[in-house]
Amino acid sequence: MSTTTSQIAPPRRSRLSGLLRARELPVSIALIALVGLTYAANPLFLSPQGTKDLLLNATIMIILAAGQTLVIITRNIDLSVGSILGLVAFGTGSLFANVEGIPIWAVFAIGIVFGAVLGAVNGLLVTLAGVPALVITLGTLYIFRGVNNWWAGGTQYFADDRPDAFGGLAVDTLFGFPIITLIAIVVVVVLAVALAGTRAGRDLYAIGSDPAAARLFGIAIGRRVFFAFLANGMLAGLAGVLYAARFNSVGATTGTGMELNVVAAAVVGGVAIFGGSGSVVGAGLGALLLTTITGALTALRVDKFWQQAIVGVLILTAILIDRVASIRTARRLKTGAASEEKK
Amino acid sequence: MTNTETSATLTAASTSKTLRGEPKGRTGLARILLGRDAVMIGLLLVTIVLFALFIPRFASPLTVGFLLLDVIPVLLIAMPMTLIIITGEIDLSVASIAGLTSASLGVMWAAGFDMNTAILLSILIGVAAGAFNGVLIAFVGLPSLAVTIGTLALFRGLALVVIGDNAVANFPPEYNAFVTSKLGATGIPTVMIGVLAVVAVFGVLLHFTPFGRGLYAMGYSKEAARFVGIDVVKSKFWLYVASGGVSALAGIYWTLRYSSARSDNATGLELTVVAAVLLGGVSIFGGRGSIPGVFASVLLIGTINYALRLGRVSEVVLVIVTGALLIVSVVTPSIGAALRRLGHERRIRRELPRSDGPGPTGA
């Protein structure tokens, strides 16, 4: 899954694959432990309703984290996702309110295209102007949010403004999974396959690991990075539509402050902030873990005030683990190279 | 890359022509007057004059007072942030440190501490928070973006743990009065003296000391900086300590100005500060930027915000203006550089013998 490690000549397959799993392993263990302990203390936590809430709360963050992963792998970052989500969510609300009897699939399509346009703005600015993504997307964060404030003003759309079938996406379940969660799972699976299995996907890792080498190798860096931002915008758009389905009200401030949570989810899931490694599955697990904490603390009747502090500790732990893993890899590669020279 | 290759070919072709043919870099007065700082300061002055002329009630001591009171937190935190970004790092936890100090100040005051002691302890808490960042980033060597996203959540969380949903409001009135007091009829807040002192300290530190030179060197290349004898680890550590301390000051100011200690004070300020610093000409890659530029940029954003609000333009537009300013300010130089490169290449092609033409592009 993580190509960086497999790119650096693989002398010992079994250990390498062990290391590969290690990227998602810590977060999976933490997630299982958290769910297990909480369940032991309060069995209601894993009741059908409890599980459903858990998944629903994580859904939107999972999609955003998956999109963000594409961008971070290329050594970029997109801070504007919260603003994109807000704009699309409000757009969704106003579509239902103003266009009589608009089909739901059309709303989804419009939302995704809208997100793609906003993502393309980011992508164009980043690739054409050659300016760091952090600066550009910080700028577009303000601009998109401003546009949303302007457009929405004091208007808010509530659950009554949308058709019941649309709200039903967040309530109805299929095989026990809420429908919007299934959408998130499909997104993660498709992206994971695309990243690991397609030329374009593997190029993203190459760009993030060493841009100069990627350029020498003939990878169209500009185009790939542009598409990463475009895809991230589409996913933020999708998340915006789902947000409108899940939550009761959308307005001018929807999505504010979400950007750092999304990056945090990806980091916790083992996506290295300086590009080149990480997986969509890991990021999804990271998002799930971060949102599960909220539910777990409530179920354990822990003071809710601790929640954010715990999230912070978790992020720091995640990057520490990542650091230790990368030091170990470096050392192992060094000794491996030395022993081969002796032969 | 092709740029250096073509000029290398040019040198080989005719050594006599090259240096005279190349445009000279600006020197002396022209460099100061046409530099990025001067442009920012000029822009600031033009903006102030325009607003004073066209927006009723803008040119008044009252405006000066409120405007400055509003920009003080950003101005304070932007100083250490400038130094940190010049070294190629970032600190996103500043607003959370301000929130944490605000919360602890409130709780200590409510618990019956002497006000001065409470303020001192709050500053120490900020310094400790900064040192925590510093240890993880400088000594352990973790990426600052990731670490400070983590501590952003952690410190904000601790603020919540400390004070919860409560708010402490009954601070001694003389402290509140001092924070909002003005210097005579000028409308300039008294605390501005202290703020200017902080600005001066960081300005001198960056521009007139070996330590400051070292920060630029670190921003260009950490390896190179280490080779010339700069203690990269220690420099970074102290920058984060300073950032924590200054953020604490901003937090205390915030608390006393609004007479309210809450866990969510100064939320989101980190992005405003980063935007102001980048607009002030500091490169996010490190190695470039200055205190005067950032100072002008913070005031520029503050002035525009305040003037638009006075002119009854909605809050919305200011947000868009800030974002657009930020993007335009970083995109313009790179467009300019692209145009210059184009001109340079065209000139070289004109001067080069045709036979050398395909060489550089083929390589």
Side-chain angles (χ1 to χ4, degrees), chain B residues 2 5-6 9 348-349 352-363:
Chain B
T2 48
E5 277 166 21
T6 39
T9 337
I348 284 173
R349 240 172 259 134
L352 268 182
R354 280 202 74 89
S355 56
D356 285 354
T361 42

Short mmCIF file of all heavy atoms in Angstrom, two decimals, chain B residues 2 5-6 9 348-349 352-363:
data_model
loop_
_atom_site.label_atom_id
_atom_site.label_comp_id
_atom_site.label_asym_id
_atom_site.label_seq_id
_atom_site.Cartn_x
_atom_site.Cartn_y
_atom_site.Cartn_z
N THR B 2 16.86 25.07 -16.61
CA THR B 2 17.32 25.40 -17.95
C THR B 2 17.96 26.79 -17.96
O THR B 2 18.84 27.07 -18.73
CB THR B 2 16.15 25.39 -18.95
OG1 THR B 2 15.10 26.14 -18.36
CG2 THR B 2 15.72 24.00 -19.27
N GLU B 5 21.53 26.55 -17.10
CA GLU B 5 22.24 25.86 -18.18
C GLU B 5 22.49 26.80 -19.34
O GLU B 5 23.59 26.87 -19.88
CB GLU B 5 21.45 24.65 -18.65
CG GLU B 5 21.69 23.44 -17.77
CD GLU B 5 20.68 22.35 -18.02
OE1 GLU B 5 20.06 22.36 -19.10
OE2 GLU B 5 20.50 21.51 -17.13
N THR B 6 21.46 27.56 -19.72
CA THR B 6 21.63 28.45 -20.85
C THR B 6 22.66 29.53 -20.54
O THR B 6 23.47 29.88 -21.37
CB THR B 6 20.31 29.12 -21.24
OG1 THR B 6 19.61 29.43 -20.06
CG2 THR B 6 19.49 28.25 -22.14
N THR B 9 26.07 28.13 -20.92
CA THR B 9 26.48 28.06 -22.32
C THR B 9 26.89 29.42 -22.82
O THR B 9 27.83 29.58 -23.57
CB THR B 9 25.31 27.58 -23.19
OG1 THR B 9 24.40 26.86 -22.39
CG2 THR B 9 25.80 26.72 -24.32
N ILE B 348 18.80 35.95 -24.49
CA ILE B 348 19.89 35.00 -24.70
C ILE B 348 19.78 34.37 -26.07
O ILE B 348 20.76 34.25 -26.80
CB ILE B 348 19.86 33.92 -23.61
CG1 ILE B 348 20.41 34.52 -22.32
CG2 ILE B 348 20.69 32.72 -24.01
CD1 ILE B 348 20.28 33.59 -21.15
N ARG B 349 18.57 34.01 -26.45
CA ARG B 349 18.40 33.38 -27.76
C ARG B 349 18.83 34.33 -28.88
O ARG B 349 19.40 33.92 -29.87
CB ARG B 349 16.94 32.96 -27.94
CG ARG B 349 16.81 31.46 -28.14
CD ARG B 349 15.37 31.03 -28.13
NE ARG B 349 15.01 30.46 -26.85
CZ ARG B 349 13.90 30.76 -26.19
NH1 ARG B 349 13.05 31.63 -26.68
NH2 ARG B 349 13.65 30.18 -25.04
N LEU B 352 22.75 34.46 -28.75
CA LEU B 352 23.49 33.21 -28.98
C LEU B 352 23.57 32.89 -30.46
O LEU B 352 22.61 33.13 -31.20
CB LEU B 352 22.78 32.05 -28.28
CG LEU B 352 23.24 31.73 -26.86
CD1 LEU B 352 22.48 30.53 -26.37
CD2 LEU B 352 24.73 31.46 -26.83
N PRO B 353 24.71 32.32 -30.89
CA PRO B 353 24.78 31.78 -32.25
C PRO B 353 23.78 30.64 -32.39
O PRO B 353 23.56 29.88 -31.43
CB PRO B 353 26.20 31.25 -32.36
CG PRO B 353 26.93 31.75 -31.17
CD PRO B 353 25.96 32.17 -30.15
N ARG B 354 23.19 30.50 -33.57
CA ARG B 354 22.12 29.53 -33.74
C ARG B 354 22.53 28.10 -33.45
O ARG B 354 21.74 27.30 -32.96
CB ARG B 354 21.59 29.61 -35.19
CG ARG B 354 20.65 30.75 -35.43
CD ARG B 354 19.79 30.46 -36.64
NE ARG B 354 18.78 29.46 -36.36
CZ ARG B 354 17.57 29.78 -35.89
NH1 ARG B 354 17.24 31.01 -35.63
NH2 ARG B 354 16.67 28.83 -35.68
N SER B 355 23.80 27.76 -33.76
CA SER B 355 24.21 26.36 -33.63
C SER B 355 24.11 25.87 -32.19
O SER B 355 23.94 24.69 -31.94
CB SER B 355 25.65 26.19 -34.12
OG SER B 355 26.48 27.09 -33.39
N ASP B 356 24.24 26.77 -31.21
CA ASP B 356 24.17 26.35 -29.81
C ASP B 356 22.73 26.15 -29.33
O ASP B 356 22.49 25.66 -28.24
CB ASP B 356 24.84 27.39 -28.90
CG ASP B 356 26.35 27.30 -29.02
OD1 ASP B 356 26.78 26.38 -29.70
OD2 ASP B 356 27.04 28.16 -28.46
N GLY B 357 21.82 26.56 -30.18
CA GLY B 357 20.41 26.57 -29.77
C GLY B 357 19.89 25.29 -29.16
O GLY B 357 19.46 25.29 -28.02
N PRO B 358 19.92 24.17 -29.88
CA PRO B 358 19.27 22.98 -29.37
C PRO B 358 19.99 22.36 -28.17
O PRO B 358 19.40 21.56 -27.47
CB PRO B 358 19.28 22.01 -30.56
CG PRO B 358 20.30 22.54 -31.49
CD PRO B 358 20.49 23.98 -31.21
N GLY B 359 21.24 22.70 -27.95
CA GLY B 359 22.02 22.09 -26.87
C GLY B 359 21.32 22.08 -25.53
O GLY B 359 20.98 21.02 -25.01
N PRO B 360 21.08 23.26 -24.97
CA PRO B 360 20.55 23.30 -23.61
C PRO B 360 19.18 22.65 -23.48
O PRO B 360 18.90 21.99 -22.49
CB PRO B 360 20.47 24.79 -23.29
CG PRO B 360 20.90 25.52 -24.50
CD PRO B 360 21.36 24.57 -25.52
N THR B 361 18.33 22.81 -24.50
CA THR B 361 16.99 22.23 -24.37
C THR B 361 17.05 20.72 -24.44
O THR B 361 16.27 20.03 -23.82
CB THR B 361 16.05 22.77 -25.47
OG1 THR B 361 16.78 22.79 -26.69
CG2 THR B 361 15.53 24.15 -25.13
N GLY B 362 18.01 20.20 -25.22
CA GLY B 362 18.15 18.75 -25.32
C GLY B 362 18.65 18.14 -24.02
O GLY B 362 18.29 17.03 -23.67
N ALA B 363 19.49 18.88 -23.31
CA ALA B 363 20.02 18.37 -22.05
C ALA B 363 18.98 18.46 -20.98
O ALA B 363 18.42 17.53 -20.52
CB ALA B 363 21.21 19.21 -21.61
#
